Amino acid sequence: SQQGEEDPQALSIQEGENATMNCSYKTSINNLQWYRQNSGRGLVHLILIRSNEREKHSGRLRVTLDTSKKSSSLLITASRAADTASYFCATDNDYKLSFGAGTTVTVRA
Amino acid sequence: EAQVTQNPRYLITVTGKKLTVTCSQNMNHEYMSWYRQDPGLGLRQIYYSMNVEVTDKGDVPEGYKVSRKEKRNFPLILESPSPNQTSLYFCASSLLNRGGEQYFGPGTRLTVT
């Protein structure tokens, strides 16, 4: 079953702006991960946040997790053209990783 | 270089003709998994394996088989492919540390006519 759902489905921003996307899920999780995919290629792991963590940073990425609302957000600051990609959240529950349909981000120069 | 490889990368076949997509990783990962990606549906897990000779069903296992005879290899077998199995397939692997990051292969685009 598809556990995570990203919102919005698509996002278009100007280079230098911030991009925020959200992920909601249905059942309890061990952790939540965010991945990036460039145009039909393999997914690349961005960041993992455990269920007992509320916020995590990695470079220009900031992830929050609210287990009471069963939601997470990914913020990309100071976006670049190279950030153009699809972003997926994935919830981990006992080794079964469930992905959402993704948010497609386009960064305009 | 640490990587997950898949072969073939592209495959066009006909209904009912058995095929195997190979997946191999060189990182000594215990956990391996297969996903299919379809437009608007994201990635859905087909099968996963937590170690040699240990496999389990994901969310969409029907029509697929897997085996894990060696730690590095995790082939996906379609005994009798059908057009609804036309999709983009990804293999992934990770260390068995309860939800560690997964390393993905480059994908196999399969078309069944």
Side-chain angles (χ1 to χ4, degrees):
Chain A
S1 60
Q2 196 168 319
Q3 164 83 296
E5 291 185 13
E6 290 91 344
D7 172 61
Q9 287 186 319
L11 185 58
S12 180
I13 55 174
Q14 201 75 29
E15 204 165 21
E17 293 180 339
N18 296 343
T20 300
M21 59 210 86
N22 302 297
C23 170
S24 60
Y25 57 92
K26 298 187 178 90
T27 63
S28 62
I29 59 172
N30 297 321
N31 65 62
L32 186 143
Q33 304 176 37
W34 286 91
Y35 288 81
R36 183 186 74 229
Q37 183 182 37
N38 290 94
S39 192
R41 299 176 72 175
L43 278 73
V44 174
H45 183 268
L46 295 176
I47 196 165
L48 180 153
I49 186 164
R50 300 195 185 281
S51 59
N52 60 354
E53 296 176 311
R54 292 296 168 258
E55 187 170 313
K56 204 160 181 181
H57 296 255
S58 176
R60 294 183 295 112
L61 305 179
R62 172 179 169 255
V63 168
T64 63
L65 179 64
D66 187 334
T67 53
S68 66
K69 294 181 179 177
K70 292 188 171 59
S71 67
S72 172
S73 68
L74 171 66
L75 167 68
I76 305 172
T77 60
S79 62
R80 306 166 181 168
D83 294 328
T84 293
S86 292
Y87 293 82
F88 296 88
C89 69
T91 54
D92 171 62
N93 190 3
D94 290 335
Y95 307 110
K96 294 184 72 168
L97 210 62
S98 297
F99 286 82
T103 293
T104 299
V105 175
T106 303
V107 181
R108 306 186 306 274
Chain B
E1 180 192 352
Q3 60 182 351
V4 178
T5 56
Q6 294 179 227
N7 282 293
R9 296 288 314 281
Y10 302 91
L11 180 60
I12 301 173
T13 189
V14 296
T15 298
K17 186 176 181 182
K18 181 179 178 179
L19 66 92
T20 299
V21 184
T22 65
C23 172
S24 183
Q25 50 91 7
N26 62 0
M27 296 169 281
N28 203 34
H29 285 169
E30 302 96 340
Y31 183 93
M32 296 186 75
S33 183
W34 276 102
Y35 301 88
R36 61 177 288 174
Q37 184 177 27
D38 302 288
L41 295 177
L43 280 81
R44 292 178 292 169
Q45 191 173 44
I46 303 171
Y47 270 96
Y48 64 96
S49 168
M50 290 196 283
N51 216 323
V52 175
E53 302 292 0
V54 181
T55 62
D56 209 346
K57 296 177 181 178
D59 294 319
V60 289
E62 295 77 20
Y64 304 95
K65 283 176 60 177
V66 292
S67 69
R68 188 93 181 271
K69 294 186 170 60
E70 304 166 281
K71 197 172 188 179
R72 63 182 294 128
N73 296 323
F74 191 44
L76 180 69
I77 303 156
L78 285 72
E79 295 265 359
S80 183
S82 62
N84 64 12
Q85 293 178 297
T86 292
S87 188
L88 180 57
Y89 290 87
F90 289 101
C91 179
S93 72
S94 72
L95 288 170
L96 201 68
N97 60 351
R98 204 158 185 81
E101 65 176 277
Q102 297 208 1
Y103 293 79
F104 279 78
T108 294
R109 189 166 292 280
L110 172 66
T111 302
V112 183
T113 61

